[in-house]
C-alpha cells in the first residue's frame, strides 16, 4: 500500500500477532473452563478479571513507559502475557484463572498502547485516518482468525494455550527488531465525569450499559453456545460472526446517525438487539444456520453501539475535547465491562444458559427507556454542529492511544494529553 509510510508495516504485523493471540486466548479459556465444569459465576469472573486488568493497564502504562521506555515496557508486557497463558495451562483451576486473566488484560492493554504509540509517531498527520482504518481492519481480521483457529484441533488439550503463548511472543519481534528510537510518550486516560454528564447524559448511561452487554457476551457467549450443545466449530463461528457483523454494520449505521438524531439510531439498534435477546432466551437455537444468523444480527447491533455513543458525545463536547471525551467513555465502558460478566454469570447460575441474554436484554431495554426519556428533554444538535461518525475497533480492545489515531483527534490535543517522562526528582 504505497499511500502509507513503510515504517507502519512492521507495527501492523506486530499488532496483528497480538490480536491473533488475544482471539485464541479469549475463546479457549471459557470453552475449556466450561468443559472442566467451572460454574457460570467463575467463568463470568474471567471477564471481570480481564476488564479490571485492562483498565489498570490503560491507566498505569503511560507513566510506566515514560520511566522505562517503549521497547523495555513492550518486552515486559509480552512476557507477562505469555506467563499468564502458560500458567493457566499448568493450573486449571478457576481460582487461578481469574487473576491470571487480569494479568493478561493488563499486559494486553500495555502492549496495544505501545504499538499504537509507535503507529501514531510513524503516521504523518495527512495519513493518520488511513492508518487508523487499516489498523482497525487488521485487528478485526486477526482477532477473528484467532477465534476461528479453534476449529483446527481439540480444545481439551494444551494446543491452543501454547498457540496463544507463541503468538504473544512473536508479537515482540516486528516492533522490537525494527524500532530504532523511542516514539513520543503515551497518551494518558482521564475521567472528567461532570463534564461528560453535562455534555451528554445519554452517552454516560449508554456506554456503561453497552459495556455490561458487550463484555457479558464476549466472555460468556461461547459458554452459552457450548451449553446449548453447539459443536466447537459452530461456537467459533458463532463468536467470530458477531464481531464481523458488528464491523460491517458500522458503515450503514454511521451513515444514518450522521443524518438524524443519533439517540434515535441508538434506540433502534438496541430495539433490534432486544428482539434477538428474546429469541435466544426462548428458542436457544440448536440449528446451526439459525444460531449463526442470530449471532450475526446480535453482533451487528451490540458492536455498532459504541461508535454511535462516541459520535453523539462529541456532538455536544467542547472544541478540542475529543480525547478527553473518548478516554472518559472508554473508562466508563470498562466499568460496565467489570460488572457485565459477573452479573451474567450470577444469572446464568440461576437460570441456565439463557441467563446471558436475560442480562443483555435488561441492559438493552434500560438503554431504550432512558434514551427515549432524554430525547423528550433535549433537542438533537443541528446538522452543522455534528461531528463525523468514524467506525472504530471494539471498545474492549481500545485505549487512549487508539483514540489518538482517530482522525477526529486534533494534533495539539494529543500533545497536551501525553504523559511526559518524569524528572530526576520524581524518579528519586
Amino acid at each position: 500500500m504505497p499511500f502509507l509510510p513503510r515504517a507502519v508495516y512492521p507495527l501492523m504485523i506486530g499488532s496483528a500477532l497480538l490480536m491473533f493471540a488475544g482471539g485464541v486466548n479469549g475463546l479457549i479459556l471459557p470453552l475449556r473452563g466450561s468443559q472442566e465444569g467451572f460454574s457460570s459465576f467463575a467463568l463470568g469472573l474471567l471477564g471481570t478479571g480481564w476488564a479490571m486488568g485492562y483498565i489498570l493497564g490503560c491507566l498505569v502504562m503511560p507513566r510506566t513507559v515514560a520511566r522505562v521506555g517503549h521497547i523495555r515496557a513492550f518486552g515486559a508486557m509480552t512476557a507477562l502475557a505469555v506467563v499468564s497463558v502458560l500458567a493457566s495451562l499448568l493450573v486449571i483451576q478457576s481460582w487461578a484463572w481469574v487473576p491470571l486473566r487480569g494479568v493478561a488484560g493488563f499486559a494486553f492493554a500495555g502492549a496495544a498502547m505501545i504499538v499504537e504509540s509507535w503507529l501514531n509517531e510513524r503516521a504523518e498527520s495527512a495519513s493518520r485516518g488511513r492508518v487508523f482504518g487499516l489498523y482497525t481492519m487488521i485487528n478485526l481480521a486477526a482477532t477473528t482468525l484467532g477465534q476461528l483457529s479453534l476449529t483446527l484441533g481439540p480444545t481439551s488439550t494444551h494446543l491452543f494455550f501454547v498457540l496463544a503463548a507463541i503468538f504473544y511472543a512473536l508479537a515482540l519481534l516486528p516492533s522490537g527488531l525494527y524500532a530504532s528510537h523511542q516514539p513520543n510518550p503515551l497518551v494518558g486516560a482521564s475521567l472528567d465525569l461532570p463534564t461528560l454528564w453535562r455534555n451528554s447524559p445519554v452517552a454516560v448511561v449508554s456506554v456503561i450499559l453497552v459495556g455490561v452487554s458487550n463484555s457479558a457476551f464476549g466472555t460468556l457467549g461461547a459458554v452459552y453456545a457450548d451449553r446449548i450443545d453447539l459443536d466447537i466449530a459452530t461456537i467459533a463461528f458463532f463468536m467470530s460472526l458477531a464481531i464481523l457483523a458488528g464491523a460491517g454494520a458500522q458503515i450503514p449505521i454511521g451513515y444514518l446517525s450522521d443524518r438524524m438524531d443519533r439517540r434515535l439510531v441508538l434506540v433502534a439498534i438496541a430495539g433490534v438487539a432486544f428482539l434477538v435477546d428474546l429469541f435466544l432466551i426462548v428458542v436457544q437455537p440448536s440449528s446451526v444456520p439459525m444460531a449463526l444468523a442470530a449471532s450475526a444480527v446480535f453482533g451487528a447491533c451490540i458492536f455498532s453501539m459504541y461508535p454511535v455513543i462516541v459520535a453523539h458525545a462529541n456532538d455536544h463536547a467542547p472544541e478540542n475535547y475529543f480525547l478527553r471525551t473518548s478516554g472518559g467513555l472508554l473508562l466508563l465502558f470498562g466499568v460496565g465491562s467489570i460488572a457485565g460478566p459477573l452479573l451474567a454469570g450470577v444469572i446464568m447460575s440461576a437460570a441456565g444458559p439463557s441467563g446471558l441474554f436475560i442480562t443483555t436484554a435488561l441492559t438493552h431495554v434500560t438503554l431504550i427507556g432512558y434514551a427515549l426519556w432524554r430525547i423528550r428533554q433535549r433537542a438533537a444538535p443541528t446538522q452543522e454542529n455534528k461531528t463525523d461518525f468514524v467506525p472504530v475497533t471494539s471498545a474492549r480492545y481500545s485505549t487512549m492511544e487508539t483514540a489518538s489515531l482517530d482522525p477526529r483527534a486534533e494534533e495539539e490535543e494529543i500533545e497536551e494529553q501525553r504523559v511526559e517522562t518524569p524528572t530526576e526528582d520524581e524518579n528519586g
Side-chain angles (χ1 to χ4, degrees):
M1 294 185 183
F3 58 85
L4 292 179
R6 291 180 60 185
V8 162
Y9 301 134
L11 301 171
M12 293 287 190
I13 294 171
S15 180
L17 294 169
L18 187 69
M19 292 293 174
F20 182 92
V24 175
N25 192 30
L27 193 53
I28 186 59
L29 287 176
L31 279 177
R32 181 64 177 271
S34 182
Q35 293 168 0
E36 295 288 338
F38 291 5
S39 68
S40 297
F41 177 72
L43 292 172
L45 284 175
L46 294 178
T48 297
W50 164 270
M52 293 178 68
Y54 196 87
I55 293 173
L56 185 62
C58 290
L59 294 172
V60 170
M61 195 50 52
R63 187 157 291 276
T64 300
V65 169
R67 290 182 180 276
V68 305
H70 290 68
I71 296 173
R72 288 162 63 189
F74 190 80
M77 292 304 102
T78 52
L80 279 176
V82 170
V83 168
S84 72
V85 175
L86 295 181
S88 298
L89 175 60
L90 290 176
V91 186
I92 304 179
Q93 299 288 338
S94 59
W95 59 262
W97 278 20
V98 174
L100 287 172
R101 190 63 175 145
V103 171
F106 179 87
F108 192 93
M113 289 186 78
I114 293 167
V115 169
E116 290 164 358
S117 175
W118 262 312
L119 276 175
N120 211 353
E121 164 131 328
R122 300 295 169 82
E124 301 169 359
S125 57
S127 64
R128 190 149 51 93
R130 293 192 293 270
V131 169
F132 180 75
L134 180 61
Y135 176 74
T136 300
M137 289 172 56
I138 287 175
N139 285 352
L140 171 68
T143 302
T144 302
L145 288 174
Q147 292 183 333
L148 291 177
S149 70
L150 269 72
T151 63
L152 302 177
T155 56
S156 57
T157 68
H158 66 277
L159 172 63
F160 294 106
F161 291 88
V162 175
L163 185 66
I166 289 172
F167 274 85
Y168 271 134
L170 287 175
L172 175 63
L173 298 181
S175 52
L177 294 176
Y178 186 83
S180 58
H181 70 284
Q182 302 285 358
N184 289 324
L186 268 61
V187 173
S190 60
L191 178 59
D192 183 0
L193 189 56
T195 301
L196 271 178
W197 180 261
R198 285 195 302 270
N199 291 341
S200 178
V202 166
V204 171
V205 173
S206 296
V207 81
I208 295 173
L209 293 171
V210 170
V212 171
S213 171
N214 291 17
S215 63
F217 178 75
T219 302
L220 294 168
V223 177
Y224 169 89
D226 179 56
R227 292 182 179 174
I228 63 171
D229 297 325
L230 298 178
D231 60 72
I232 295 298
T234 304
I235 293 171
F237 280 104
F238 182 83
M239 298 303 295
S240 300
L241 194 57
I243 297 174
L244 290 173
Q250 289 190 36
I251 296 174
I253 286 173
Y255 179 86
L256 284 175
S257 76
D258 279 343
R259 285 156 178 78
M260 58 186 297
D261 190 338
R262 297 194 206 273
R263 295 170 297 181
L264 288 174
V265 175
L266 194 59
V267 166
I269 300 170
V272 176
F274 179 69
L275 293 177
V276 181
D277 289 327
L278 296 180
F279 173 78
L280 291 169
I281 291 168
V282 175
V283 177
Q284 296 187 11
S286 57
S287 162
V288 172
M290 192 177 295
L292 294 182
S295 171
V297 176
F298 189 71
C301 294
I302 68 169
F303 292 121
S304 59
M305 289 184 188
Y306 182 76
V308 174
I309 293 169
V310 172
H312 173 70
N314 280 289
D315 289 344
H316 297 279
E319 189 176 356
N320 284 343
Y321 212 78
F322 175 80
L323 279 182
R324 293 177 183 85
T325 299
S326 297
L329 292 176
L330 179 65
L331 293 179
L332 290 174
F333 181 93
V335 171
S337 297
I338 292 171
L342 181 60
L343 178 61
V346 170
I347 297 177
M348 287 179 75
S349 295
S354 61
L356 169 60
F357 293 101
I358 292 173
T359 306
T360 57
L362 290 172
T363 65
H364 294 146
V365 75
T366 303
L367 191 159
I368 292 168
Y370 185 75
L372 287 174
W373 178 73
R374 284 298 306 173
I375 288 170
R376 299 184 61 182
Q377 307 301 311
R378 185 184 192 180
T382 62
Q383 199 64 33
E384 294 75 18
N385 292 328
K386 295 181 75 171
T387 60
D388 291 332
F389 176 96
V390 174
V392 299
T393 189
S394 170
R396 192 180 185 192
Y397 300 125
S398 294
T399 69
M400 280 297 290
E401 283 292 336
T402 314
S404 71
L405 279 169
D406 193 305
R408 291 173 291 188
E410 299 291 338
E411 293 287 351
E412 58 268 25
E413 185 189 6
I414 295 173
E415 293 305 316
E416 288 176 3
Q417 292 291 101
R418 293 197 185 281
V419 175
E420 297 297 338
T421 304
T423 63
E424 191 171 324
D425 289 340
E426 289 174 312
N427 282 315

